[in-house]
Amino acid sequence: MGQITELPQVVPADPGKPVRPEAAASQRTSRELAEHPSTWSHEQADEVVRRYTELAPVWDGDRGGYRSVPLTDALQRGGPWPAGLCLEVGCGTGLLSALIQEVWPKVVSLDLTWAMLSRSPAPWRVLGDASQLPAGDASAQAVVLADVPLFADEVVRTLTPDGVVVWSNALGEDAPHHVPIETVLGALEKDSGADWSAVMSHAGWGLWAVLRRGEAA
């Protein structure tokens, strides 16, 4: 497996970290999807849409204050960044889209739930499933995954050889979609047949990693 380099934490964690009761079950599902993406089903997709349709009206108020912290740190310290198209997968209401656009002016923001996506101010929005990204092969220089499951096969398919993956969990190891960075790295290596490396750090309540492809394995 490729090298993982951990940078010192520079953004301290405030007291009062939220606890999500569903985190443990969601983490098990997210790890299964990272390792075996074919297990994703229409029933799971329908449940995600149902749940996030309910959450959409209160999402920004409940989650808006802390979700940007690890991603901001990643974008400040995880570069250099290749220029080009960025796919923001699971953009939700667009809480993070403006941050991403500061690095990649052209960002296609994707979400599975229209009730979330319709609230986003992002200029290029697409209703779609992360298991079948609506992008051509090797068309994106970056894929941003902030608190969403990893479908490594689709990330590898759409990413250019010198592209980057930005992985962010706003509640760190306690985030519902957190899986170990080693698992993320291993899934990308398995689906690409190449070595990958990662730079990671903790920030606030969360953590992030930036992953890059190396030479063919």
Side-chain angles (χ1 to χ4, degrees):
M1 182 176 293
Q3 181 177 0
I4 299 175
T5 302
E6 183 164 2
L7 303 180
Q9 181 169 350
V10 298
V11 182
D14 294 328
K17 181 178 181 178
V19 176
R20 304 294 179 201
E22 73 278 12
S26 293
Q27 286 183 5
R28 288 192 293 271
T29 299
S30 293
R31 183 156 190 166
E32 178 71 10
L33 290 174
E35 296 176 333
H36 306 287
S38 63
T39 60
W40 182 244
S41 66
H42 291 297
E43 290 77 17
Q44 285 175 294
D46 289 344
E47 175 58 23
V48 167
V49 171
R50 183 200 66 77
R51 171 172 165 73
Y52 284 95
T53 297
E54 292 178 356
L55 288 172
V58 298
W59 185 259
D60 288 9
D62 287 352
R63 325 266 173 144
Y66 66 88
R67 290 198 66 230
S68 64
V69 174
L71 183 61
T72 298
D73 193 46
L75 295 177
Q76 289 176 347
R77 297 199 289 153
W81 306 112
L85 173 69
C86 174
L87 299 179
E88 180 190 10
V89 180
C91 67
T93 60
L95 282 172
L96 305 176
S97 299
L99 283 174
I100 299 168
Q101 287 172 331
E102 292 177 6
V103 176
W104 293 283
K106 187 173 183 180
V107 179
V108 174
S109 300
L110 168 84
D111 204 271
L112 183 61
T113 304
W114 175 245
M116 298 285 280
L117 188 66
S118 63
R119 289 169 164 80
S120 170
W124 293 290
R125 295 174 295 164
V126 176
L127 185 69
D129 194 320
S131 70
Q132 294 180 311
L133 290 174
D137 295 355
S139 61
Q141 289 282 359
V143 176
V144 176
L145 302 155
D147 290 292
V148 295
L150 169 70
F151 291 91
D153 53 346
E154 280 294 279
V155 171
V156 167
R157 180 185 67 79
T158 57
L159 201 65
T160 60
D162 62 341
V164 298
V165 177
V166 182
W167 174 263
S168 174
N169 288 169
L171 296 178
E173 288 87 352
D174 300 315
H177 293 298
H178 172 73
V179 296
I181 301 305
E182 293 84 356
T183 301
V184 178
L185 192 69
L188 292 169
E189 290 187 333
K190 176 183 175 183
D191 281 293
S192 65
D195 291 328
W196 287 66
S197 63
V199 174
M200 66 165 293
S201 188
H202 290 74
W205 294 331
L207 61 78
W208 58 266
V210 175
L211 303 105
R212 292 177 169 84
R213 187 169 2 204
E215 298 298 322

